Amino acid sequence: MMRYFFLLFGVAVLLVVLIAGRRGDTSRRPPFEIFPDMDRQLKLRPQAAHGFFADGLSSRLPPPGTIARAEPFNVGGRAVYPFEDAPVNTGRETGTTNFVALNPLPVTARLLARGQQRYAIYCAPCHGATGEGNGITKKINAMAVVTSLHDKRVVELPDGDLFNTITLGKNLMGAYGPQIPVEDRWAIVAYVRALQLSHLGSVDDLSPEMRAKLK
Ligand code: HEC
């Protein structure tokens, strides 16, 4: 009885050593697989020459008329997809690193209202409701210096640069691209411009009728 036990025990130990014992070895030869884990199987590789379809590809381009990956924006009547190298997506002139001077979206009352609302949510906590950099984070000493959006330097930045700062952040300021959709970012840019104008405006900017009313 004991003999069989030792025999079986010996065989079991041998099996374990054979199967698992050399798992840490390195070798130039293909690995010896006890459990192949479906590593090798029949499948079509996306870039392989002999694909499934008559033209040799193994996948299809999106059929005409379908939408690839995401909804396009309507920029001046043209559909722009979110993955395109276009000013509306990057804040830069197509094919260059130059920031666009002006908001590529038409600045409408609707866009400004949206921008005001989004600014109040995402920017006012640090930059303050009027953009002077005195939001709640300053009051509770969570952020020492927050740039005033009325700094001459910021006023003179191109719109694309503001968009880029919102998207990727800058120094101490975090990135808001992951939280704020592209259209809303441009809405905020438009609203920041309105805030700046409200500080820079003078009586001369008013129409003659409005000026007369003021006097
Ligand atoms: C958590 C606080 C915080 C929030 C929220 C925040 N910012 Fe800032 N922002 C900062 C700080 C701090 C700086 C100064 C960064 C530096 O240069 O160190 C800054 C700088 C800037 C600048 C100047 C960039 C430059 O080129 O110098 C702009 C423009 C700006 N923020 C716009 C925005 C807008 C628009 C939003 C809302 C989408 C926003 N920020 C949200 C903290 C914040």
Side-chain angles (χ1 to χ4, degrees):
M1 197 64 214
M2 261 336 233
R3 213 159 15 124
Y4 288 120
F5 173 78
F6 280 119
L7 198 68
L8 273 176
F9 186 72
V11 168
V13 167
L14 204 67
L15 271 176
V16 168
V17 169
L18 278 179
I19 291 171
R22 304 195 56 196
R23 280 157 39 103
D25 285 7
T26 53
S27 161
R28 288 182 173 280
R29 279 172 297 160
F32 177 60
E33 289 169 299
I34 313 268
F35 309 110
D37 287 341
M38 297 174 80
D39 283 347
R40 266 149 287 279
Q41 53 185 292
L42 285 172
K43 66 181 172 219
L44 296 167
R45 295 187 180 269
Q47 309 288 335
H50 305 291
F52 177 76
F53 294 102
D55 57 5
L57 298 177
S58 49
S59 60
R60 298 280 77 188
L61 296 171
T66 58
I67 293 167
R69 287 191 269 179
E71 298 279 343
F73 295 103
N74 180 351
V75 184
R78 193 175 90 78
V80 179
Y81 287 93
F83 50 83
E84 276 181 54
D85 176 13
V88 73
N89 294 324
T90 61
R92 297 168 196 271
E93 304 283 0
T94 307
T96 74
T97 54
N98 303 334
F99 290 121
V100 289
L102 293 178
N103 201 322
L105 299 183
V107 179
T108 58
R110 196 190 66 79
L111 193 81
L112 275 176
R114 177 78 180 168
Q116 180 176 34
Q117 188 211 34
R118 297 291 111 176
Y119 177 91
I121 295 170
Y122 290 108
C123 318
C126 291
H127 289 280
T130 57
E132 266 138 346
N134 52 2
I136 184 73
T137 50
K138 179 85 157 272
K139 294 196 184 93
I140 64 169
N141 285 323
M143 286 222 127
V145 193
V146 179
T147 308
S148 166
L149 301 180
H150 302 291
D151 276 358
K152 189 163 179 290
R153 190 181 60 79
V154 178
V155 172
E156 286 172 357
L157 292 176
D159 281 359
D161 197 342
L162 298 188
F163 177 85
N164 190 64
T165 296
I166 302 174
T167 307
L168 301 175
K170 188 153 237 174
N171 304 328
L172 281 178
M173 177 179 148
Y176 287 84
Q179 301 170 57
I180 309 178
V182 167
E183 196 175 359
D184 285 350
R185 274 177 254 158
W186 286 115
I188 291 172
V189 169
Y191 182 69
V192 167
R193 290 310 189 203
L195 274 183
Q196 291 170 341
L197 196 63
S198 76
H199 275 230
L200 295 170
S202 79
V203 184
D204 300 334
D205 295 334
L206 297 175
S207 65
E209 303 90 67
M210 288 173 96
R211 228 176 300 161
K213 235 188 243 170
L214 205 64
K215 281 172 189 158

